[in-house]
């Protein structure tokens, strides 16, 4: 009887470890996707492909869904980093506005378009830094989802 309970406890602990690890990996992957999706590299690629505003809106919607999923995972399983993930969600909206202006600015003078791009670059860099911070913080969680270092 005791042996059976011990085996059940071990199986439950292993399942909990696996779930925590999967959630951490999923959130890490979402941060990578968001970071690249709003990077200068991706912006350049979209420009080279002559993205239309409609196509960019679709790209943004995908990135927004990733940010919402990341926020959900943080809220449910990693409350220590919720604020950082929420900041990323805010930045995705700011960047969407910048890129929307950029891709929809055919009639804007080149100087104005460059100003929009410079503003995008500033926000993009900030978003990439925030995503990197969240990825670093996720590495501080142990196998059961407990943060081993304190968030500053």
């Amino acid at each position: 009887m005791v042996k059976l309970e011990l085996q059940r406890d071990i199986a439950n602990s292993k399942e909990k470890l696996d779930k925590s690890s999967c959630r951490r990996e999923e959130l890490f992957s979402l941060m990578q996707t968001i970071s690249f999706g709003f990077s200068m590299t991706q912006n350049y690629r979209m420009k080279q492909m002559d993205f239309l505003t409609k196509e960019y809106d679709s790209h943004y919607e995908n990135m927004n869904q990733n940010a919402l999923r990341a926020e959900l995972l943080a809220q449910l399983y990693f409350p220590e980093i919720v604020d950082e993930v929420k900041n990323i969600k805010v930045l995705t909206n700011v960047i969407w506005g910048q890129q929307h202006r950029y891709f929809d600015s055919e009639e804007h003078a080149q100087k104005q378009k460059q100003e929009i791009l410079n503003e995008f670059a500033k926000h993009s860099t900030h978003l990439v830094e925030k995503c990197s911070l969240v990825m670093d913080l996720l590495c501080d969680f142990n196998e059961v989802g407990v943060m081993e270092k304190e968030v500053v």
Side-chain angles (χ1 to χ4, degrees):
M1 181 73 144
V2 172
K3 184 177 180 181
L4 184 60
E5 286 179 29
L6 184 59
Q7 287 175 333
R8 192 173 321 135
D9 287 347
I10 291 170
N12 287 340
S13 293
K14 182 174 175 11
E15 183 179 341
K16 187 176 179 180
L17 286 172
D18 290 344
K19 284 181 180 178
S20 176
S21 180
C22 287
R23 290 179 188 120
R24 189 172 53 194
E25 286 176 24
E26 181 182 0
L27 185 51
F28 196 95
S29 178
L30 288 167
M31 291 296 101
Q32 289 176 316
T33 301
I34 293 166
S35 181
F36 180 74
F38 289 117
S39 68
M40 289 299 294
T41 301
Q42 184 66 355
N43 189 70
Y44 177 77
R45 290 177 67 217
M46 289 187 294
K47 181 181 172 194
Q48 294 302 105
M49 294 186 302
D50 291 327
F51 254 53
L52 302 172
T53 302
K54 181 175 81 172
E55 293 167 317
Y56 179 70
D57 286 345
S58 175
H59 169 75
Y60 167 73
E61 185 56 37
N62 289 333
M63 292 298 102
N64 190 51
Q65 289 301 316
N66 288 331
L68 289 171
R69 176 71 181 159
E71 189 175 350
L72 173 70
L73 288 171
Q75 288 278 357
L76 294 175
Y77 306 110
F78 306 101
E80 298 89 339
I81 62 173
V82 166
D83 290 340
E84 294 300 332
V85 176
K86 282 184 176 183
N87 287 336
I88 289 167
K89 176 68 176 89
V90 169
L91 281 169
T92 62
N93 290 315
V94 170
I95 289 171
W96 171 80
Q98 291 298 318
Q99 281 189 311
H100 199 278
R101 285 180 55 215
Y102 181 77
F103 287 112
D104 199 31
S105 63
E106 294 284 327
E107 70 281 353
H108 294 255
Q110 189 60 33
K111 181 180 178 187
Q112 192 173 18
K113 206 165 176 141
Q114 186 60 47
E115 289 172 4
I116 294 169
L117 186 59
N118 291 344
E119 195 67 19
F120 165 78
K122 179 179 84 174
H123 293 297
S124 174
T125 300
H126 191 57
L127 176 92
V128 169
E129 289 169 354
K130 287 290 186 184
C131 288
S132 293
L133 174 61
V134 169
M135 289 185 283
D136 288 346
L137 291 171
L138 282 171
C139 292
D140 292 340
F141 283 88
N142 64 21
E143 291 78 26
V144 292
V146 175
M147 187 162 236
E148 294 177 337
K149 297 178 186 172
E150 194 171 319
V151 178
V152 270

